[in-house]
Amino acid sequence: MAAFPACQPPAPPLSRFCARALAFLAALLAVACGPGISHADDQTAAYHWQSVTVGAGGFAPDIVFSTAEPGLAYLRTDMGGAYRWDDKQGTWIALQDSMPTSSYMGIESLAADPIDPDRVYVATGMYRGYDAAMLRSDDRGGTWEIFPVPYRMGGNEDGRGLGERLAIDPDNRDRLYFGSRHDGLLVSEDRGEHWTRVESFPHKGVGVPPHGKATNAGLSFVLFGERTPDGIRPIFVGVADRGAEGLYRSDDGGASWQPAGGPQAPLFPAQAAAGTDGYLYVTWVTSPGPNGVKAGAVWRLAPDTGAWTDITPTKGPNLPPGGYMAISTDRQHAGTVVVASMNRWKPGDSIWRSTDHGDTWTDVRPFSKRDVSATPYLNWGNAEADFGWWIAGLAIDPFKSGHVAYTTGATVYATDALDTADGSAPLLWKPWIDGIEQTAIITLRSLPEGPVLLSGFGDLSGFAHTDLSRSPIHQFTNPVFANTNVIDYAGANPALIVRSGTPGHRSPDGSPVLAWSADHGLSWQPLHVPAVPYTRQGGKAATQQPDLSGNSAIAVSADGDSFIVASDHAIVSHDRGQSWRATSGLPAGSRPVADRTDATLWYAMHFASGRVLVSTDGGDSFKLLPTKGLPSSLKEDRPTWREQPWPLMAAPGRTGELWYFSAANERLYRSTDGGLSFRAQGGRIAIKALAFGKAAQGQPLLTLFALADRGDGLAIWRSTDGGASWLRLNDARHQYGRRFRTIEGDMRTFGRVYVGTDGRGILLGDSADAPE
């Protein structure tokens, strides 16, 4: 058992994905947790940390209102930890930023004590191959006791949008039940410290699937019903495993279990909600989601007769694909229930409300309006924001019937007027996300002029940030990428920006995966690259086909006139994409880097020999230099994933100055002669990402920032003397699961650093000792 503090309320704001992805993250975690070189003289700098505001941005599988106190709610996310709503401050507070264990940021389930508003439990574990634990707090997530468990979880796996698997016995609050994915029904009699299997439960689980196989949905929820007139408190458990689908019920405190009826396979129970009058409402689906739900239903169980009734809002032939998942009841008005569709892509998902136990329904989508002025990216370049997709969380405030919230794949919407909505006037929804930053950041660029920051996101394309305390109004569009993987700017002409990324989720085949901007990233033009002929080594003719997947990085020359696309065989344009030709002299898969001041100079790394290739003709041709000072082979350093930081970098404002970080050799190297020679800087340091920032006063060298391991796990570091010494910037309260992906220094403000995380958005760090 271990105790960890949560982060404090955020400081006042300024003025505030695929197998290779998982493999790369696993490599980072190995560095974060593995052995390293101890540096007793390392110090931690005084830094202020906060979030760059975007506003939510990721999938939050559920929202849970406390029944013990008005104005108290919790949000669980799939890769950014848990949040608590602080009603007095009017903000969500991240509860796990002090935890160093990455896996604990993936929340499988959350349970708030029904009587004690201070007590809350969280089941954590991001993937079945990662660590899992039960967390317990008696101060609303301010601090945590951590109890590691051997039961594998899947907070970011399929099925994360099913119901709450963790439940507190309202009649004995020391007893908790947990519906696991792989090990059946578990029970704890000591407030989550120890767990055993409930042997009387019919489904024992099917075990953890082997690597490469789909995960198990397991038990989809555990729910305590209302006490019946004869004193029985039913417990309901849904089973979502194929071949064992069904709903089970216990009327004797879990001693015995019986099938509770309902629809038959292929449908299985997804979520359930109990009314104060004893009615049970259950959604049924064909897939655990959040994708792949083709059909579904909503059924009601009557407490007096035990009869089931199909109350699905939309019935009949020719229904669009999709099912139902999120469901909630009104604690103030028996018979009032809301339910949401899942994966009904056309005409789009919706929410229905009933005030007569589901006999009749009102679809609220047709008269709903969304005010997303606080988070304009939700418009996605359209005139109006979408109602939402992946609606897995839906909750009616138990103390305020009109206050209803639902979670989506990108935000949390809420309204205060659902109880009076009848279609006669628009129903207004607003993002309820102040304090939530739950996104995966791939790349960052700080410019010496123009917007403060450019960011490349997973799923959200990217942004030009002109005010770090507000959600940006300039999203990367024309085209909208799903992921922006690379951003580069012209060193001597910073208004000229290029980016590459993967096609948008709803983009047609053949959509562009490259773009350029002449106004610091505020507006964009797509780049269309044709097939380009080239000559293979040995003289054989070949053709480089255009990359439509977004795997190829793009870079821009110092003057902004030339682009190089690092396709399998690199191609170059000297007229900003109007025409293209093949480069020569580069090994397959090379990624050229532009000198930051001289437009004729480009560099590339020859990993096999530990030497640099240079172009002196603007990127048309490259030759291998007799590089000295690097290891004879750097094959282990070669990135294998398009989102992985590139180890060869050119320093801003300095002709011929190159830096190379070797994670395999735990060394940082610097060249001042264009790659002819390198010198190791300082001692051993296993850098995973490096960035430049404004030089310290009186220092000739740019400030260096790094995501690196110096013996105590992955951390954020700064050097003002070229890597001879390092200061650690994040302390024990600012660990963020060590889910650090990319880093960038600010070129205008000394000491300022931006860190892109995998689930907690963009972190902004400012030095407490920076000069005014």
Side-chain angles (χ1 to χ4, degrees):
M1 182 270 287
F4 282 91
C7 74
Q8 297 300 309
L14 293 178
S15 103
R16 177 195 123 68
F17 301 19
C18 76
R20 287 188 176 180
L22 293 178
F24 177 62
L25 182 57
L28 285 182
L29 295 176
V31 170
C33 302
I37 305 300
S38 177
H39 293 258
D41 58 343
D42 284 342
Q43 300 178 21
T44 300
Y47 254 68
H48 300 303
W49 291 97
Q50 57 186 306
S51 293
V52 172
T53 300
V54 171
F59 180 37
D62 202 11
I63 186 167
V64 177
F65 282 104
S66 169
T67 59
E69 179 181 292
L72 179 59
Y74 293 91
L75 185 77
R76 65 173 172 96
T77 74
D78 55 7
M79 53 194 289
Y83 289 80
R84 184 189 76 240
W85 174 252
D86 189 303
D87 207 35
K88 292 182 180 179
Q89 297 191 57
T91 189
W92 291 94
I93 296 174
L95 300 179
Q96 295 174 248
D97 286 352
S98 64
M99 293 185 184
T101 304
S102 171
S103 183
Y104 293 171
M105 303 298 278
I107 309 304
E108 183 83 294
S109 189
L110 186 149
D113 191 288
I115 304 299
D116 184 350
D118 294 332
R119 186 176 297 172
V120 62
Y121 300 88
V122 174
T124 67
M126 193 168 294
Y127 302 106
R128 63 177 184 259
Y130 288 25
D131 293 336
M134 295 293 182
L135 313 184
R136 181 178 73 193
S137 176
D138 285 324
D139 58 5
R140 308 180 185 216
T143 58
W144 296 98
E145 294 176 282
I146 299 178
F147 307 104
V149 296
Y151 312 108
R152 303 296 90 187
M153 300 189 193
N156 196 28
E157 294 182 343
D158 286 350
R160 59 194 184 273
L162 297 174
E164 293 303 329
R165 304 167 187 266
L166 192 59
I168 303 167
D169 188 336
D171 301 317
N172 177 5
R173 293 172 16 252
D174 288 343
R175 178 183 298 140
L176 283 75
Y177 285 93
F178 179 65
S180 74
R181 286 177 176 262
H182 315 294
D183 300 284
L185 182 63
L186 308 173
V187 64
S188 171
E189 302 288 353
D190 56 6
R191 298 178 53 215
E193 292 189 34
H194 303 89
W195 294 84
T196 58
R197 176 182 282 170
V198 178
E199 296 298 341
S200 62
F201 190 73
H203 184 60
K204 301 299 189 293
V206 296
V208 179
H211 180 72
K213 297 293 184 180
T215 191
N216 299 320
L219 307 189
S220 50
F221 60 82
V222 180
L223 178 71
F224 284 86
E226 295 295 318
R227 189 175 294 281
T228 64
D230 54 0
I232 295 174
R233 171 87 69 181
I235 311 172
F236 298 95
V237 177
V239 177
D241 283 334
R242 289 298 179 195
E245 305 95 331
L247 181 68
Y248 289 87
R249 172 176 181 157
S250 175
D251 290 332
D252 54 11
S256 62
W257 299 84
Q258 299 80 36
Q264 302 299 308
L267 295 178
F268 59 80
Q271 293 190 25
T276 55
D277 54 0
Y279 278 87
L280 180 74
Y281 305 88
V282 184
T283 56
W284 304 75
V285 293
T286 56
S287 168
N291 281 318
V293 178
K294 302 299 184 183
V298 186
W299 284 51
R300 178 188 70 206
L301 178 63
D304 50 352
T305 64
W308 284 96
T309 304
D310 182 354
I311 58 169
T312 306
T314 56
K315 303 177 184 177
N318 303 319
L319 292 175
Y324 301 86
M325 187 167 286
I327 193 164
S328 182
T329 56
D330 189 339
R331 305 292 295 176
Q332 301 293 321
H333 300 91
T336 295
V337 59
V338 290
V339 67
S341 61
M342 173 65 80
N343 293 169
R344 195 181 73 160
W345 301 107
K346 295 181 180 180
D349 284 313
S350 188
I351 292 172
W352 290 262
R353 178 174 182 261
S354 173
T355 58
D356 54 10
H357 300 91
D359 288 337
T360 60
W361 295 92
T362 298
D363 183 353
V364 306
R365 178 187 174 109
F367 55 90
S368 289
K369 298 294 182 183
R370 288 155 298 287
D371 177 0
V372 298
S373 55
T375 51
Y377 74 87
L378 291 171
N379 286 312
W380 298 100
N382 300 315
E384 184 179 7
D386 190 84
F387 191 85
W389 64 96
W390 286 12
I391 304 176
L394 174 63
I396 302 174
D397 190 328
F399 297 96
K400 189 178 176 183
S401 297
H403 185 210
V404 179
Y406 68 95
T407 68
T408 76
T411 193
V412 180
Y413 281 116
T415 184
D416 287 319
L418 190 62
D419 56 338
T420 59
D422 58 7
S424 61
L427 175 63
L428 182 64
W429 301 86
K430 292 184 177 182
W432 187 26
I433 45 79
D434 187 73
I436 301 172
E437 297 297 336
Q438 200 247 328
T439 47
I441 315 303
I442 300 171
T443 187
L444 297 168
R445 282 292 188 188
S446 173
L447 306 180
E449 62 181 45
V452 181
L453 182 69
L454 303 181
S455 59
F457 279 66
D459 295 328
L460 299 183
S461 193
F463 302 96
H465 302 257
T466 57
D467 183 343
L468 300 178
S469 68
R470 298 170 62 91
S471 184
I473 61 174
H474 299 287
Q475 187 179 27
F476 293 169
T477 58
N478 191 34
V480 174
F481 294 156
N483 297 1
T484 294
N485 300 325
V486 173
I487 302 171
D488 194 21
Y489 70 93
N493 180 16
L496 202 296
I497 315 291
V498 293
R499 64 183 168 103
S500 64
T502 56
H505 296 301
R506 302 180 187 181
S507 299
D509 292 343
S511 294
V513 295
L514 303 167
W516 70 282
S517 169
D519 57 4
H520 303 96
L522 299 179
S523 64
W524 294 88
Q525 301 179 52
L527 277 172
H528 298 274
V529 177
V532 177
Y534 70 98
T535 303
R536 293 185 186 274
Q537 190 173 12
K540 185 176 181 180
T543 301
Q544 176 61 58
Q545 297 296 327
D547 173 28
L548 301 179
S549 66
N551 283 323
S552 300
I554 187 171
V556 58
S557 60
D559 60 4
D561 289 337
S562 298
F563 304 155
I564 291 185
V565 175
S567 43
D568 187 55
H569 187 99
I571 57 176
V572 60
S573 171
H574 296 302
D575 51 15
R576 299 182 180 178
Q578 297 301 306
S579 61
W580 296 87
R581 70 183 71 173
T583 62
S584 64
L586 283 175
S590 294
R591 181 169 162 178
V593 174
D595 189 275
R596 288 304 189 187
T597 64
D598 187 335
T600 67
L601 293 177
W602 288 79
Y603 313 97
M605 179 55 66
H606 193 270
F607 291 98
S609 65
R611 296 162 65 185
V612 170
L613 297 120
V614 66
S615 171
T616 58
D617 56 9
D620 286 335
S621 63
F622 286 78
K623 64 180 180 180
L624 193 62
L625 296 176
T627 304
K628 305 297 183 183
L630 292 177
S632 59
S633 176
L634 297 170
K635 290 182 179 179
E636 293 183 28
D637 288 336
R638 181 174 187 141
T640 58
W641 177 39
R642 63 192 177 201
E643 297 177 12
Q644 195 168 347
W646 202 255
L648 181 67
M649 304 176 67
R654 289 157 168 78
T655 303
E657 183 171 320
L658 300 175
W659 292 76
Y660 182 84
F661 60 90
S662 173
N665 294 280
E666 297 187 357
R667 288 287 187 178
L668 175 64
Y669 301 90
R670 177 182 178 229
S671 171
T672 58
D673 54 12
L676 280 169
S677 63
F678 282 83
R679 176 175 293 182
Q681 306 293 296
R684 291 191 176 276
I685 180 169
I687 295 176
K688 296 305 171 187
L690 184 71
F692 304 103
K694 183 178 180 180
Q697 190 170 8
Q699 276 286 352
L701 296 176
L702 293 172
T703 298
L704 301 178
F705 295 97
L707 300 178
D709 182 7
R710 283 174 62 81
D712 192 26
L714 194 66
I716 307 167
W717 299 87
R718 186 189 81 191
S719 175
T720 57
D721 55 11
S725 63
W726 294 88
L727 280 174
R728 179 169 172 163
L729 306 187
N730 64 310
D731 57 20
R733 291 179 56 248
H734 301 91
Q735 298 281 346
Y736 309 101
R738 298 180 180 172
R739 296 178 62 78
F740 307 129
R741 291 187 65 169
T742 188
I743 191 167
E744 177 72 335
D746 194 290
M747 298 304 298
R748 297 176 238 185
T749 302
F750 167 71
R752 176 169 289 183
V753 63
Y754 308 95
V755 178
T757 71
D758 201 25
R760 278 290 282 114
I762 305 172
L763 306 175
L764 167 64
D766 273 315
S767 175
D769 58 1
E772 295 296 333

